[in-house]
Every structure is written in structure tokens, then in C-alpha cells.
Amino acid sequence: MAENQLGGQQVVLLPEGASRLLGRDAQRTNIAVAVAVAGAVKTTLGPKGMDKMMVSDLGDVVITNDGATILQEMNVEHPVAKIMVNIAKTQDKEVGDGTTSVVILAGELLKGAGDLLDQGIHPTTVIKGYKMAATRASEVLEEFAKKVSISDEPTLEKIAMVSMGSKNVGDEKTKSELGKMVIKAVKQVMEKDASGKTIVDHDFIKVEKKAGGNVSDTAFISGVLVDKEITHPGMPKSMANAKIALLDVALEMEKTETDARIEITSPEQMQAFLKQEESILKGMADKIRKSGATVIFTQKGIDDVAQHFLAKAGIMAVRRVKKSDIEKLSRATKAKIVTSLDDLGSDDLGHAGLVEERKISGEQMIFVERCKDPKSVTIFVRGGNEQVVDEAERSITDVIGAVTSAVVNGKYVTGGGSIEIDLANELRSYAGNVGGREQLAIQKFADALEAIPKTLSESAGMDAIDTLVQLRSRHKSKGGEVYGVDIFKNSVGDMNKNGVFEPLMVKRQAIDSASEAAEIILRIDDIISSRGKSKGGGMPPGGMGGGMGGDME
Ligand code: ADP
Ligand code: MG
């Protein structure tokens, strides 16, 4: 197929086994793949959404409700499917929540585009209309948004609860506790940059997990949990009012890098050599003791002899600590990271109310806690087994994302599909003003947004069409704009009253990413694959990317 006639001579452009799809065929295939990917995550949307169990080729089991995780675990092959996976990942990275929604939205946008293409509308017109719609949708979001700040805990707690809503992480009480922990963590690490902008660096909210116990045992630690053990059994296991030194220093004899050799010819010389080594290591321990430190963490190693002297001085020491943990410890305890023992002084030391080694599910961990106003904190996640702690960790990461998005941007909207109905209504009236063929694309954009309330009502077992009709008419009356899907009562309900709040940023990012992905995919009108057909990832002409378990068209 990849051949051309040129002056009677055949020109072969593509290698043997390569395949090619052109124009409408390429678009149709790509749209079908995107719709299939969206179909694969659709049933997990919302609190009544189902979970998925994914089994890898190695037999690892992941049970999750998280859109980004599902798509990642699916290991999709088709390039368009990969674009869809990437938007979920971007959503996860940028705002931490709304990963299922963004994929559903992108799938619907493409489905709508497919209808328009069938009516003979050019892809560039569709793209232009979608861009206009996305811009207008952003403005409308701002118009409907309400303000929230870090001190507005009741609102933030609701945002946290909604973010956790669909995740299987314990009862309401546990979820509420987890939400409070996340808000506390965000509050602790939040800072203002030079221009007065709020920043929250997620690196400094450490989410450490260990299977065992119950999700309700999950704890907030005002400091850092280090997954290490104390180096020497003779050292104290617990230190109250710890004075902490953070070192990037090896408490060992320097290893010679070159080939230099020390010639030892007599037992006396050997003795002298060992003595000297010992006194150097003792000197190191002395420097630490003199600084007043009672606990040290070093990125490097600690020699047995040095351990012995430190233990004798009653100092607790932890070696080979990850650089990232040392940085967290520095922000939590206010200790300076010291790179040479000669520089170590009392003002480099940090403080923690308690440093203690505890045995958790058979393994030692070091708790550096009760720090004063720590700029780095830890949420220690527990749960019955690996699957449970993993999902709890993912949920907590989502909540951190949601709460952060809310406080950084300072705005939230009502969820349960209510904001999507508002956006759709506004877009439909905007479409009327725009006119031209673009208006058709803007209307499709509106339809795509309504897939969110539609899917929510379907997952609650309600009639989706009835629900949409009811919601649209509710939203036309004054005060009706907060009506959405009340999944627990199986009716339409006031999302303001139900406290279904979501950060504006999560919605905006979803709309931006979904329309961008739709644009990228629609621009493709030629797919050339030179991958061997035998590899499974190849492209049989006419259809590909099967086995996705979605509703392929
Ligand atoms: P995502 O990965 O997109 O965040 P979720 O499974 O978390 O997907 O579902 C989010 C959707 O569920 C949002 O549209 C949100 O408004 C809706 N939702 C969450 N909690 C409720 C609730 N209590 N009532 C109605 N809708 C809810
Ligand atoms: Mg969510």
C-alpha cells in the first residue's frame, strides 16, 4: 500500500510489513481507540463507581478506583491510547485529582467530533470550535466559583471528603480523619513566595506506608518518618528533646581512590596503623559529641569503630539516609546539612521532641516527631494488606492534590455534575452567538461536559436522560445552579447543601487537557506504522488497539 507510481516506476516508501491509514480511516480509528479508553474507566466515576482489579504479567494485583492508575496498569499499546493515558498522568501531576473525569471528557469530545466529521465538517473547524468552547468554559468556571482559604476548614474538609468519596478507604469517620490530616499537613508546609503567592511543595508531605493494622490507624507525624534503623545495638532507641545533626559526611576511613599501597612489614607497624585509624574515627565521634548533638543522620556510611564510639557517647546514629529524607529532616527540625565535621557547631543542630525507633509490622522505623512548626511532615498510612495501603496512599495523594489546588488557587465549585450542567448551558447560549459551523462544535463540547452528570447518574442506577432533563430545567431557575446528582438519594439534589465541593483548578485542568488531547488526536490524518504485525502492537489495516475491554465502536 505504501507505494507510489512515479514515471511508471514503483517507489516503495515504507518497509515491508508497515501499514498505513489515511484520512477519515485514520480519524475513525483514533476516535474509536480514545472512546474505548474512556469506556474502560467510565464505570469507576464517582462515589458509586466500581473498582477495578488489575493483574500484571508478573501476577501483581492492584485494586483501584483511580483513573490514572488504571490506565497505567493497562499497559496500552496504541499511540492514541497512550495520549489518553498521558492526560490522566498530567492531570494527576498538575492537580492530583479528576483523572477519571479528564479521560471521560476527552473520549466524549472525540466522539462528538466523530459525529461532526461524519456530517462533513472539517477537523480544523471542530478544533477551532473546541478551542473557543474551552476558553469560554474557563471564564464560566470563574464566574461560578466561590472563594476558599486555608482557614476555612469546614469547606476544605468537604473538598477532601469528595476527593476521597469514590475510594474504598474505610468508613466515613476514617475518611474524615484522613481529610483533617491532609489539611493539617498542607497548612504546615504551605509557604508564600517572594511575590506573595501561596506555594505547597508536595515533596514535603511525606506519605509513608506500611501494610498492617487498619486504615484508621493512619497517623499524622509532626516531622519525618525514616524507613531505616539505628546502626548500633548499643545506641539509645529513644531520645527525648533530641538535638539533631544532619550530615553529608562518611564516618569512615577514606578509601584510597588511587593505587597507593601502604607497606606493613611488622606486627608493630600493623598495631600502629590500626591505632591511628581508631584515633581518627574516635576524633570524628568526639567532634559530634562536642557539637552537642544527641542524634545524627548521615547520607553516608558509619564505620563499626565510629559506631562504637558514638554508642559510648550515648548518641543515636542512622546511616545511609536518602538525600530526600535528609532534606525533609532539615525542613522539619531546622537542622543545617553539614558536609564537613570541622564545620559542625551547636547552631547547626535541629530539634525534635522525640526521636524513636519503633517496630512496625516486624520492621524498624525511625520516628522523628513532635517537631516545632515543622516545614515537612509525614502521613503514615496503615491498612490491612498491600492492596489496601496502596489504595489508601493513592487516595491520600489525591486529597493532598485537591486541598492544595483549592488553597493555592483559592477557589472551588460545586460537583456532582452541577458545574458541568452550568458550563453546558452557558456554552449552548454562547454557541448561538458564535454562529457559523464552529457553533456545532461548541454544542458538542457542551454535550461532552454533560457526560459527567450522565455517568454519575448511571453509576447510581438512575435514568440518565431523565436526570439530565431535570437538571437542565433546574439550572434555568434562580438558585438552581447548584443542583447535581444526589447519588445517595437517587435524585437530583442541592450540591451546596450536600457539601459536594471540588477545586476549580481540578475542573479547569480537566477541560484544558481534554480539549488539548482531542485537538492533537483530531489533527492526525495519516497513521504510518512500521512495527511488525507479529508484535501485537502492530496495526492491522482498518482496526487496531483491540483488547482494551471498552466499548469499541
Ligand atoms: P476523578 O478521578 O475524576 O476524580 P472520582 O471517581 O473521584 O473521579 O469522581 C469524581 C466525580 O464524582 C466528580 O464529578 C464529583 O463531583 C463526583 N462526586 C463525588 N462525591 C460526590 C457526591 N457525594 N455526590 C455527588 N457527586 C459526587
Ligand atoms: Mg476524584
Side-chain angles (χ1 to χ4, degrees):
M1 44 161 56
E3 290 163 1
N4 265 329
Q5 294 286 335
L6 201 78
Q9 217 177 355
Q10 269 209 338
V11 180
V12 180
L13 274 180
L14 299 174
E16 199 164 338
S19 58
R20 185 169 188 186
L21 284 176
L22 268 170
R24 283 293 292 126
D25 286 339
Q27 279 150 353
R28 221 174 252 132
T29 306
N30 287 347
I31 289 171
V33 171
V35 170
V37 172
V41 295
K42 219 169 176 176
T43 57
T44 69
L45 186 78
K48 286 272 180 85
M50 306 304 272
D51 289 353
K52 275 191 197 294
M53 180 191 267
M54 330 271 302
V55 186
S56 76
D57 0 344
L58 295 174
D60 292 336
V61 177
V62 176
I63 298 173
T64 186
N65 183 286
D66 191 70
T69 309
I70 293 168
L71 292 174
Q72 179 142 354
E73 295 290 327
M74 277 194 342
N75 262 325
V76 293
E77 280 276 0
H78 194 282
V80 165
K82 286 195 170 137
I83 295 176
M84 298 289 278
V85 175
N86 278 339
I87 58 172
K89 277 194 197 153
T90 308
Q91 179 82 16
D92 207 21
K93 214 172 71 207
E94 293 291 323
V95 287
D97 199 3
T99 54
T100 311
S101 306
V102 72
V103 173
I104 293 178
L105 199 53
E108 291 293 325
L109 285 175
L110 284 157
K111 203 167 163 188
D115 294 345
L116 296 176
L117 300 184
D118 284 342
Q119 291 167 34
I121 294 168
H122 198 271
T124 52
T125 311
V126 179
I127 291 168
K128 190 166 165 224
Y130 276 6
K131 271 197 166 143
M132 292 165 78
T135 309
R136 179 70 192 126
S138 267
E139 291 165 12
V140 178
L141 269 179
E142 294 289 339
E143 287 161 24
F144 279 90
K146 299 189 188 85
K147 282 202 163 79
V148 61
S149 76
I150 188 74
S151 55
D152 184 358
E153 283 181 24
T155 301
L156 292 176
E157 276 170 31
K158 284 174 187 137
I159 290 172
M161 287 300 271
V162 168
S163 170
M164 255 180 297
S166 57
K167 308 292 188 289
N168 187 11
V169 283
D171 53 18
E172 292 303 297
K173 188 165 162 278
T174 308
K175 283 182 177 173
S176 154
E177 292 297 321
L178 295 179
K180 285 186 182 136
M181 272 180 217
V182 170
I183 295 166
K184 195 167 158 191
V186 170
K187 203 173 203 164
Q188 265 308 321
V189 306
M190 200 172 109
E191 285 172 320
K192 296 246 186 245
D193 71 2
S195 62
K197 213 179 120 215
T198 303
I199 41 173
V200 178
D201 189 337
H202 290 179
D203 284 351
F204 298 118
I205 303 175
K206 189 174 183 188
V207 183
E208 186 76 61
K209 60 180 174 185
K210 192 126 261 167
N214 194 291
V215 178
S216 60
D217 299 330
T218 298
F220 178 89
I221 297 169
S222 287
V224 187
L225 179 51
V226 184
D227 195 358
K228 286 273 165 199
E229 49 187 62
I230 291 170
T231 43
H232 191 278
M235 289 174 178
K237 297 269 177 258
S238 173
M239 187 73 73
N241 285 319
K243 295 209 176 88
I244 301 169
L246 300 179
L247 308 174
D248 184 10
V249 179
L251 303 180
E252 292 168 325
M253 294 308 295
E254 258 186 70
K255 307 258 180 331
T256 41
E257 297 273 321
T258 55
D259 267 347
R261 265 203 320 216
I262 305 164
E263 290 245 352
I264 295 175
T265 47
S266 69
E268 289 76 30
Q269 261 181 326
M270 185 67 194
Q271 274 294 320
F273 176 71
L274 289 176
K275 260 248 128 32
Q276 194 197 1
E277 220 184 67
E278 191 181 297
S279 89
I280 293 173
L281 291 167
K282 180 165 187 298
M284 290 178 175
D286 280 344
K287 280 179 196 157
I288 290 168
R289 186 177 48 78
K290 279 189 195 130
S291 74
T294 54
V295 175
I296 65 165
F297 290 89
T298 180
Q299 258 173 263
K300 307 263 168 66
I302 306 177
D303 181 277
D304 290 353
V305 178
Q307 285 178 31
H308 163 80
F309 286 118
L310 288 169
K312 245 172 81 177
I315 293 169
M316 181 197 287
V318 186
R319 66 178 159 176
R320 305 207 187 284
V321 181
K322 277 189 293 189
K323 185 165 184 245
S324 58
D325 276 345
I326 294 274
E327 277 161 10
K328 291 185 181 94
L329 284 165
S330 171
R331 298 219 352 154
T333 67
K334 316 223 161 39
K336 296 195 191 90
I337 302 167
V338 173
T339 50
S340 157
L341 283 182
D342 294 327
D343 297 341
L344 181 66
S346 61
D347 49 343
D348 296 316
L349 303 181
H351 181 266
L354 183 67
V355 180
E356 192 167 62
E357 184 186 67
R358 289 178 208 147
K359 201 169 198 164
I360 308 289
S361 298
E363 275 174 68
Q364 310 290 355
M365 299 184 99
I366 294 166
F367 290 72
V368 181
E369 57 191 12
R370 299 187 206 158
C371 298
K372 228 173 97 196
D373 192 24
K375 288 288 155 216
S376 185
V377 296
T378 305
I379 295 176
F380 184 33
V381 185
R382 306 305 313 276
N385 58 43
E386 292 293 338
Q387 278 80 31
V388 174
V389 268
D390 287 353
E391 182 72 343
E393 183 201 21
R394 282 189 289 270
S395 313
I396 287 172
T397 316
D398 278 11
V399 183
I400 294 174
V403 172
T404 303
S405 303
V407 297
V408 167
N409 169 261
K411 286 178 185 152
Y412 72 97
V413 294
T414 51
S418 63
I419 188 70
E420 284 82 3
I421 297 279
D422 294 324
L423 291 168
N425 281 347
E426 294 293 324
L427 284 182
R428 287 201 183 97
S429 66
Y430 172 60
N433 300 335
V434 167
R437 290 188 158 204
E438 282 80 13
Q439 71 173 308
L440 300 174
I442 298 170
Q443 278 159 3
K444 285 290 181 196
F445 203 109
D447 295 346
L449 285 161
E450 283 182 343
I452 301 294
K454 208 169 144 208
T455 309
L456 286 172
S457 60
E458 274 164 4
S459 73
M462 294 157 67
D463 185 291
I465 303 295
D466 272 359
T467 311
L468 272 191
V469 171
Q470 280 187 49
L471 282 177
R472 280 184 198 155
S473 80
R474 273 279 186 187
H475 279 243
K476 292 211 174 91
S477 62
K478 202 169 150 27
E481 70 276 2
V482 290
Y483 271 76
V485 183
D486 187 335
I487 13 213
F488 300 111
K489 289 208 185 116
N490 282 8
S491 64
V492 302
D494 183 337
M495 294 297 114
N496 215 5
K497 224 192 244 151
N498 291 7
V500 182
F501 298 157
E502 290 184 283
L504 169 91
M505 291 257 276
V506 171
K507 296 292 176 195
R508 189 163 68 204
Q509 179 69 39
I511 289 171
D512 288 350
S513 301
S515 55
E516 229 174 80
E519 183 184 336
I520 293 172
I521 293 168
L522 285 175
R523 276 192 195 286
I524 302 167
D525 77 338
D526 191 357
I527 314 172
I528 304 162
S529 172
S530 49
R531 301 186 64 174
K533 282 180 194 164
S534 56
K535 273 205 214 143
M539 218 174 39
M544 47 185 179
M548 208 108 48
D551 45 347
M552 286 280 279
E553 290 188 336

